[in-house]
Amino acid sequence: MGAERGPRATQPTGLTRSIRPTGRAQRTRPIRLIGTVACVATLLAPGAAAAAKGGSGSTDPGAIAGRTVISRGALVYTDYLYDAWGPDLDGNGNLPAFPSAPASQTSGDYRYPDGERYAGDAADLRELRLELTGKGLEGRVSLETMADPSVAIATVAIDSDGKASTGAGAWPDGANLTTPGADLFVTAWAGGARLTTTAGAVSSIPGGADVKKRRFDFRIPAKKLGKLAAKPSAWAGVGLASADGSGRYADPQTPGATAVWDLAFQGDETYVVPSSWGDQRQSAALASSDLASFAGKLKTKAMRGGRSTAPKLAPGYYNAVFRSASDYGEGISTVEESPFGGAAPEFLGRYQPYGLLIPEGFNPGKKTPLLIALHSLNRNHNQYRSVSPNFLTELGDERGSIIITPLARGADTWYLDSGFADTLEAWGDVSSGIAGIEADPDRTSLIGYSMGGYGTYKLGLLMPDRFARAVTYVGPPAFAAWFPPGLYIPDPAYQNSSLTNPLVPNALNLPYEINAGGQDTLVPPSGVKAQVASFAAAGDQYRFYFHPDATHYTFVIDDTWGHTQQWLGNARRVVNPRQVRYVRIPAFDLPDRGLHFDSAYWASGIELRDAAAPGASGSIDVTSRALAEPSGAIVDEGTTELPAGQSGGTAATVTGQHLAPGGKPKLSNGFEGTLANVGDLTLDGKRMALDLSGRVKGELTGDGRTTLRLRVPKSTPSLTAKLDGHTVKAKRRGRTVTFPLQLDAGSEHHLEIAPRGRK
């Protein structure tokens, strides 16, 4: 079957440009909603870094967890988020208190008391800011969560003379930590702030809680600060406050251990299967009270001089932090919507993390491939670092590709709503130019495992023009299970926007690799096979690796990704294809977020004539005869049997089809298309390579009245049109010309567009 397929360009199409918080399927915790930020606009036009306000959207661009920068004289340290779990006293991983992520364990042993005052995250340091002014040392200890400021307390310790031998170092107020050399200690809590010296002198200093900004502020007056060494050391920690409001730490949950839950100046963290929240090194240090590697340096000359330093990232794995458009409230939700999860956010705060791999050979400022890797059910943004590190090596380092894994607002949000928006925001953040990263929008691909595989179907099929390649591993085509003809959807609100199978025709120009196991009891192979059959029937490019003996976990345990590495390669997305095919299903839109999936490539504004039915759909299949590429014929690759070892740990049957380059099609100044239940459609004449100074011929098949809008260059002359020989009243407004067309079913209609006055 021969599908004729455009030269590549750099202009992407976008979605409606606004992400606003949704009102659908929220958890019962109180929700606060805040407006749009610039990083979302950056996502929708990747590469437009100058349009973003400050990279990550936080106060300073390039918010990388564990890193310290100087920003206009202020020392700014960014901490890991959702890592405040205290010391690791038992040497084992511990299940989190929130039910959504039983497979994502913490190293720390402490757990928050029940209740909204603690919100499951009350001692979570987000940022420490210290600034030397004429009034002294001003500090801000910002928390991720502050539902009730009275339950948290923070300490900042300073070795003012830079000599480890002169300060006793014992933290006051029941913290039960020691940092040799420290001689000044600030304790900040809801009731104020005080300064304790190594000699035991205690005095009140200006300070207290700013609940709206979720932080403790303090100032050490200049006279009490005294003279500082050139680079004095500093430490900081956060814990739970005693209930009496005295400004002391609550008793530690394990007698004799530290009362501190979270530390600053953390540096690079380590990850293993039973530790995936960025607290392994920290919890070990809290358990041993050895904080030697958790000291920051106050570069007093740079701070007093108002200097700035940019973060420099060597190849390696990091957590990045961005300021989200949405603030859903405080802390971590413990409401479980269903055993499979659901759409509502679990991690509610304004700031959100994502995993970030900087590959070997990274060159700051140079366009670099980007792979968006979506995590599984019950996992988080550090999944691929903690569970399958070879994934990052083979698909990141060896390809020279950046990899990001969004938290997606939770371990079980299924990329339905809040998780979908979070993924877009993380993508926008890494595309905004943080730390010298310049993600190449033409070499951006998508991959996901299990629930992430569903996300890969959904994002790729709704936004096919944004990706070069897509890969799913044991991904269900629906939320949460599809076993044709059966469909299980835990939330009825997604009855018509769960199954991605009707969207498969959208992958015409986006090749998919699909991987599945015959012994998978979580994702029925029958649904995956039905999805593959739809790819084949649609004439899409795909490759299917079916492992009869593989379970749901085989691939991640094998941690071998060779054929996927080849599939992704250095592929570039098609931007202006000869043929555009798109199925529009309004039920997938997220209108409360301003997201309408009505565009692909040079076609946009696809609206249905009849959208009354809950699952209504419409489709377009339009070919520009003025474009030549991609062209050729879809070729069946047959069946290949791969023994174990050549495709992971189990044997595989491989099928697929690809576009075989063929002779160039005959070009002409026109287009042809089939429209089904489409009441409105916009085509970009320039991107279709149409010559609007001459006669343009269109051959259209439809099923009713359709408004065709043609976007034209500013210099285009006034246009006239005829449909089947009858004059069509063309109306121009700015760069858009509107043609009302009656495309009766059952026949092909002939449209001619020409400059006014041309015969």
Side-chain angles (χ1 to χ4, degrees):
M1 112 189 175
E4 291 184 335
R5 303 286 180 100
R8 299 185 178 94
T10 57
Q11 179 184 358
T13 61
L15 308 175
T16 303
R17 298 189 177 194
S18 173
I19 289 185
R20 296 188 299 275
T22 181
R24 183 196 299 185
Q26 300 294 357
R27 297 183 187 269
T28 56
R29 191 179 299 280
I31 294 172
R32 179 165 66 242
L33 306 178
I34 313 291
T36 305
V37 290
C39 71
V40 179
T42 303
L43 159 71
L44 298 174
K53 182 184 290 184
S56 66
S58 60
T59 309
D60 296 280
I64 303 297
R67 288 295 187 271
T68 304
V69 298
I70 305 294
S71 176
R72 297 180 294 278
L75 179 147
V76 182
Y77 164 78
T78 300
D79 196 36
Y80 296 81
L81 298 186
Y82 307 114
D83 71 325
W85 306 107
D88 180 9
L89 302 172
D90 62 7
N92 298 315
N94 295 275
L95 295 178
F98 41 95
S100 64
S104 297
Q105 300 179 38
T106 72
S107 288
D109 301 342
Y110 289 177
R111 293 296 180 262
Y112 293 97
D114 293 337
E116 292 190 359
R117 299 176 64 211
Y118 298 92
D121 192 46
D124 191 3
L125 175 66
R126 179 183 63 78
E127 181 182 273
L128 173 66
R129 177 180 289 258
L130 300 173
E131 188 170 2
L132 288 169
T133 70
K135 296 181 178 181
L137 178 67
E138 298 189 12
R140 298 177 185 172
V141 181
S142 297
L143 306 185
E144 174 71 356
T145 298
M146 189 177 274
D148 181 346
S150 71
V151 304
I153 188 170
T155 299
V156 176
I158 301 171
D159 180 2
S160 62
D161 62 5
K163 298 178 181 179
S165 60
T166 58
W171 290 23
D173 301 315
N176 201 17
L177 270 184
T178 300
T179 47
D183 47 29
L184 293 176
F185 304 89
V186 174
T187 303
W189 74 104
R194 62 171 164 255
L195 180 68
T196 303
T197 70
T198 191
V202 180
S203 59
S204 295
I205 58 175
D210 186 329
V211 179
K212 185 176 180 180
K213 296 181 179 179
R214 295 172 173 149
R215 75 187 192 208
F216 295 122
D217 296 339
F218 66 85
R219 185 177 77 247
I220 305 177
K223 288 185 178 181
K224 294 185 177 183
L225 180 64
K227 184 178 180 180
L228 294 178
K231 294 182 180 180
S233 296
W235 301 261
V238 180
L240 298 185
S242 62
D244 61 9
S246 62
R248 290 183 55 82
Y249 282 81
D251 291 339
Q253 291 187 358
T254 299
T258 181
V260 174
W261 291 52
D262 200 4
L263 292 172
F265 306 116
Q266 200 166 334
D268 292 335
E269 262 296 348
T270 54
Y271 303 86
V272 292
V273 172
S275 182
S276 58
W277 287 100
D279 76 324
Q280 188 178 39
R281 288 183 60 252
Q282 171 181 275
S283 62
L286 288 171
S288 66
S289 295
D290 181 3
L291 271 60
S293 61
F294 287 77
K297 291 293 184 181
L298 305 186
K299 299 179 180 180
T300 57
K301 185 176 181 179
M303 293 170 70
R304 290 195 171 102
R307 299 178 187 174
S308 294
T309 60
K312 296 180 180 179
L313 299 184
Y317 183 78
Y318 302 90
N319 274 195
V321 177
F322 68 91
R323 187 176 189 271
S324 172
S326 300
D327 187 338
Y328 299 98
E330 298 290 352
I332 303 172
S333 173
T334 58
V335 178
E336 189 172 21
E337 292 179 276
S338 79
F340 288 90
E346 298 155 12
F347 298 92
L348 305 178
R350 164 74 81 181
Y351 292 84
Q352 291 296 301
Y354 61 92
L356 170 66
L357 176 80
I358 303 297
E360 294 292 337
F362 171 69
N363 188 352
K366 182 180 179 181
K367 283 188 175 182
T368 306
L370 170 65
L371 179 62
I372 301 172
L374 306 182
H375 70 72
S376 306
L377 185 71
N378 296 333
R379 292 289 179 180
N380 67 4
H381 54 299
N382 295 314
Q383 169 181 338
Y384 296 106
R385 181 64 185 88
S386 61
V387 177
S388 51
N390 203 42
F391 178 99
L392 301 179
T393 300
E394 293 190 13
L395 303 185
D397 290 330
E398 294 178 6
R399 292 181 54 245
S401 176
I402 298 161
I403 298 179
I404 67 167
T405 297
L407 175 56
R409 287 283 180 174
D412 64 359
T413 59
W414 281 89
Y415 309 96
L416 295 169
D417 193 324
S418 61
F420 193 104
D422 182 82
T423 299
L424 299 188
E425 288 188 289
W427 184 5
D429 186 65
V430 79
S431 299
S432 70
I434 65 169
I437 294 171
E438 188 168 352
D440 190 345
D442 289 333
R443 291 184 291 166
T444 295
S445 293
L446 184 63
I447 190 171
Y449 199 98
S450 189
M451 181 185 79
Y454 171 72
T456 297
Y457 284 132
K458 184 173 180 179
L459 267 75
L461 296 175
L462 289 174
M463 306 164 62
D465 53 349
R466 303 304 304 280
F467 304 103
R469 291 287 172 103
V471 180
T472 73
Y473 272 86
V474 295
F479 159 63
W482 185 39
F483 33 90
L487 178 64
Y488 173 68
I489 301 171
D491 187 343
Y494 294 89
Q495 185 67 39
N496 299 298
S497 58
S498 164
L499 183 61
T500 61
N501 186 257
L503 301 172
V504 165
N506 298 358
L508 179 68
N509 297 294
L510 174 60
Y512 268 77
E513 179 187 280
I514 301 169
N515 299 268
Q519 304 304 311
D520 193 332
T521 58
L522 298 179
V523 176
S526 60
V528 180
K529 289 182 176 181
Q531 188 88 326
V532 169
S534 294
F535 271 83
D540 298 338
Q541 297 184 78
Y542 75 92
R543 189 162 297 146
F544 179 40
Y545 290 82
F546 181 69
H547 296 248
D549 298 326
T551 70
H552 192 72
Y553 304 105
T554 296
F555 306 102
V556 73
I557 293 171
D558 286 347
D559 201 11
T560 300
W561 315 92
H563 62 74
T564 297
Q565 181 190 79
Q566 296 175 9
W567 179 260
L568 295 171
N570 197 37
R572 304 179 71 88
R573 66 173 174 158
V574 177
V575 178
N576 285 335
R578 177 175 170 83
Q579 182 182 0
V580 172
R581 191 173 61 199
Y582 195 81
V583 176
R584 166 94 168 103
I585 303 179
F588 278 94
D589 292 349
L590 299 173
D592 290 335
R593 297 186 183 279
L595 290 173
H596 299 272
F597 302 103
D598 59 359
S599 306
Y601 309 99
W602 36 257
S604 62
I606 306 169
E607 296 301 339
L608 307 192
R609 184 185 313 105
D610 181 3
S617 68
S619 64
I620 68 165
D621 190 343
V622 183
T623 297
S624 171
R625 293 172 176 167
L627 293 172
E629 300 294 343
S631 62
I634 289 292
V635 175
D636 188 328
E637 296 177 347
T639 300
T640 302
E641 300 293 342
L642 294 179
Q646 289 191 20
S647 181
T650 61
T653 299
V654 186
T655 56
Q657 58 192 28
H658 67 273
L659 184 68
K664 300 294 183 182
K666 183 179 179 180
L667 302 183
S668 63
N669 195 32
F671 59 93
E672 61 183 84
T674 298
L675 314 180
N677 192 24
V678 172
D680 214 300
L681 169 65
T682 299
L683 301 177
D684 190 320
K686 183 177 180 179
R687 293 183 61 185
M688 294 172 72
L690 298 178
D691 179 5
L692 295 168
S693 66
R695 189 177 301 276
V696 177
K697 294 184 177 182
E699 310 294 336
L700 295 172
T701 300
D703 51 11
R705 190 164 184 81
T706 299
T707 298
L708 176 64
R709 305 178 195 275
L710 189 63
R711 187 160 176 80
V712 301
K714 187 176 181 180
S715 60
T716 300
S718 180
L719 300 175
T720 63
K722 288 186 177 182
L723 180 67
D724 299 330
H726 300 285
T727 299
V728 174
K729 187 177 181 180
K731 184 178 180 180
R732 180 166 180 172
R733 185 173 183 178
R735 293 180 56 190
T736 301
V737 184
T738 301
F739 306 97
L741 307 177
Q742 183 63 41
L743 304 177
D744 293 330
S747 60
E748 186 175 70
H749 299 272
H750 304 276
L751 176 66
E752 290 192 5
I753 303 172
R756 186 175 299 278
R758 182 179 179 121
K759 295 183 179 179

